[in-house]
Amino acid sequence: NQDFQDDMIRQLGNYATEGLRTLVLAKRELSEDEWKEWNGTHHAASTALEDRDGELEKAAELVEKDMILVGATAIEDKLQVGVPDAIATLAQAGIKIWVLTGDKQETAENIGFACRLLRDDMKINYVNGNSDEEVKQQLQQALESNSDLIGRQTEHLALLVDGKSLLTIMADQDLTTNLLKFAKMCKAVIACRVSPNQKRQIVTMVRVGVSPQPMTLSIGDGANDVPMIKEAHVGIGISGNEGMQAVQNSDYAIAQFRFLKRLLLWHGRNNYRRVAMIVLYSLYKNMLLVTSLFFFNFYNGWSGTAVYLSWVLSAYNVFFTFLPIIILGFMDQDVKDTTALTHPQLYIPGQEKRNFNAKTLAAWVVNGLVHCLLVFFVPMGAFAAFGIEDLGVFGNCIMNSMVLAVNLRLVLAENHISYLSHIFSFLSIIMFYVVVMILDIAFDFGFFESYYGVGGETFSSSLVFFTVLVTFVLMNTVDIACLYAVSHPLIIVVNKLWSVLMHHLNSIGCTFPMRRT
């Protein structure tokens, strides 16, 4: 009945304009032969090894036609508490937000305004043509009317594309490229009437098409969100009334959308900074150890003789430098949680990889090389000047200086110095003396005969303590001088000029390690 259909479409539009979620009901009776034929097609699609989701969609399209209209429903689906504030805050953090929903266009647009993703001063570009040619024209017109903004992100542009248009766009590589080119210009992107597979395709398009490759995050609460949750770099499931499938297929689970703000701006930011520091510090302290062994090869005729006693060498990463970095990995923070949540711009340095990049890595490598030169050649000169040729004592002298220096270096790198960090740094230093003395006295019990007397000679020598003191002071003088230099106004100006240069090179298409999430 055409009159009934027109009336229902009109009512659906009214419901969608009010922000209600609509559902159209239809039915079709199949004969037994039709059912058997379609069931075989569906079974083959469900067991396909390639493009299973696509084959299932094609199988569904075979039966979802020539249907009899039954009616429609509309329900109110209010946003969770805190959603608008969370989206607005994440946008301030430089995070680009796309909404992928199965709702009608009017409902999706209302949701965009309700959650403050869309604003009244925005120009919304619609790609919702009824034919392939119309879709191409709409997308081309959007690009041409904003051609002067290509390659830049604006604050006044938004894109709304429907699932039917996406079918046309995703089937053509040129259209996909144009869609992505325009979407990168927009402050907000909303895809409505999209299927679960189309949600996955959009995530894949962003992961593969954007250069440099961004970090993608998908969040959803239903089974229809599972494909995009699994496709993104990070998948987050919201536990709620729509089941637990999203949670079971996610990397992280939260109870409400508003908790995403704290998960990213506080926990995510802290984890990035901590992991960056752990990687850089671990490289530094192990470079210090290995390079000193390399330097000793010039004096032992490349015989493979180690400058350190084997058990002391083994204890370096187990006892002498292990505990403080664990505390840093759990507790280090540069601001309070309230500050990170009220100033979301603090998240941007992580997106630009300021804590972990080639420049930072090179600085730590140079730091380790300078320290190694000091920690090896200062004791070498002192022992040579006084004619001492005891290899065990010489190795303990270097190791003592190294343990002191690397533990203090971590203290200088920390932003949150607590009593626990002091305690564990002190215990790590004390462990060196404990291990050396245990190895020394173990001879009386029939163990470690080759270490007999080494600990006593080490700790009874005034030359060793003086050399350790001089070496330790020199190494940390370098660190403190460098930290002061970094905060010098001239260095700050140079760093700002470098950032401007990198931003310009990125804007003209050069690939550099600066990316936004």
Side-chain angles (χ1 to χ4, degrees), residues 152-434:
R152 296 161 50 191
Q153 181 174 330
T154 66
E155 293 291 326
H156 68 283
L157 289 180
L159 171 64
L160 198 153
V161 57
D162 66 3
K164 185 177 180 181
S165 300
L166 282 172
L167 289 174
T168 301
I169 293 172
M170 291 299 181
D172 189 314
Q173 184 59 44
D174 292 336
L175 290 179
T176 302
T177 302
N178 288 339
L179 175 67
L180 193 56
K181 185 185 298 183
F182 183 72
K184 288 166 64 177
M185 299 160 52
C186 297
K187 179 66 176 178
V189 177
I190 298 178
C192 60
R193 302 302 295 164
V194 291
S195 66
N197 188 48
Q198 286 178 318
K199 293 181 180 181
R200 180 189 61 80
Q201 288 178 332
I202 292 174
V203 175
T204 304
M205 177 185 69
V206 174
R207 286 188 59 170
V208 177
V210 177
S211 180
Q213 188 184 55
M215 182 70 70
T216 57
L217 180 148
S218 293
I219 179 170
D221 61 355
N224 58 338
D225 298 316
V226 170
M228 73 171 183
I229 288 175
K230 297 176 71 174
E231 183 66 21
H233 291 99
V234 180
I236 298 179
I238 301 177
S239 58
N241 297 326
E242 298 194 29
M244 297 294 290
Q245 290 194 47
V247 169
Q248 293 169 354
N249 288 276
S250 64
D251 300 304
Y252 301 94
I254 55 178
Q256 295 186 30
F257 184 90
R258 61 190 175 96
F259 297 148
L260 180 64
K261 181 170 70 171
R262 184 176 183 86
L263 180 65
L264 290 180
L265 302 185
W266 175 242
H267 297 292
R269 180 178 178 275
N270 279 339
N271 284 346
Y272 163 72
R273 294 182 60 261
R274 292 166 182 171
V275 170
M277 178 56 65
I278 289 174
V279 172
L280 293 170
Y281 177 76
S282 298
L283 172 68
Y284 155 78
K285 71 184 182 72
N286 284 289
M287 177 184 173
L288 200 59
L289 177 68
V290 175
T291 309
S292 61
L293 291 169
F294 174 75
F295 285 159
F296 186 65
N297 283 325
F298 291 101
Y299 295 90
N300 66 11
W302 302 91
S303 64
T305 303
V307 67
Y308 307 115
L309 304 174
S310 61
W311 281 91
V312 174
L313 180 63
S314 300
Y316 178 76
N317 279 314
V318 178
F319 297 116
F320 307 156
T321 60
F322 173 71
L323 293 176
I325 192 65
I326 297 298
I327 297 301
L328 180 140
F330 277 108
M331 301 185 61
D332 191 52
Q333 60 186 56
D334 59 339
V335 295
K336 293 183 178 180
D337 56 346
T338 52
T339 303
L341 295 176
T342 54
H343 297 83
Q345 295 82 1
L346 292 172
Y347 188 78
I348 295 177
Q351 296 170 312
E352 298 177 347
K353 302 200 298 186
R354 296 184 193 174
N355 293 89
F356 192 79
N357 51 47
K359 184 179 177 181
T360 308
L361 182 64
W364 277 88
V365 169
V366 171
N367 190 187
L369 183 59
V370 171
H371 277 191
C372 192
L373 291 171
L374 292 172
V375 81
F376 183 82
F377 287 105
V378 170
M380 174 63 74
F383 274 64
F386 286 88
I388 299 178
E389 299 180 352
D390 193 320
L391 180 60
V393 176
F394 176 63
N396 282 342
C397 179
I398 296 177
M399 181 62 73
N400 194 356
S401 305
M402 195 182 303
V403 170
L404 289 171
V406 297
N407 279 285
L408 183 61
R409 181 67 185 86
L410 187 60
V411 172
L412 293 175
E414 286 179 329
N415 291 284
H416 179 70
I417 302 178
S418 64
Y419 69 93
L420 282 178
S421 63
H422 286 298
I423 291 175
F424 283 104
S425 294
F426 178 75
L427 288 177
S428 296
I429 295 171
I430 292 299
M431 283 300 297
F432 167 75
Y433 301 102
V434 172

Side-chain angles (χ1 to χ4, degrees), residues 111-143:
I111 291 174
F113 281 105
C115 66
R116 290 159 55 183
L117 185 64
L118 298 177
R119 305 188 307 272
D120 291 332
D121 60 340
M122 279 184 168
K123 177 185 177 182
I124 303 177
N125 297 268
Y126 296 92
V127 180
N128 55 0
N130 294 318
S131 64
D132 294 353
E133 190 61 33
E134 188 177 354
V135 170
K136 294 178 183 178
Q137 291 178 356
Q138 288 178 332
L139 189 55
Q140 189 63 32
Q141 182 180 359
L143 281 171

Side-chain angles (χ1 to χ4, degrees), residues 498-512 514:
W498 174 267
S499 298
V500 170
L501 176 62
M502 292 297 102
H503 180 75
H504 175 68
L505 292 175
N506 275 315
S507 66
I508 63 177
C510 296
T511 301
F512 282 86
M514 295 178 66

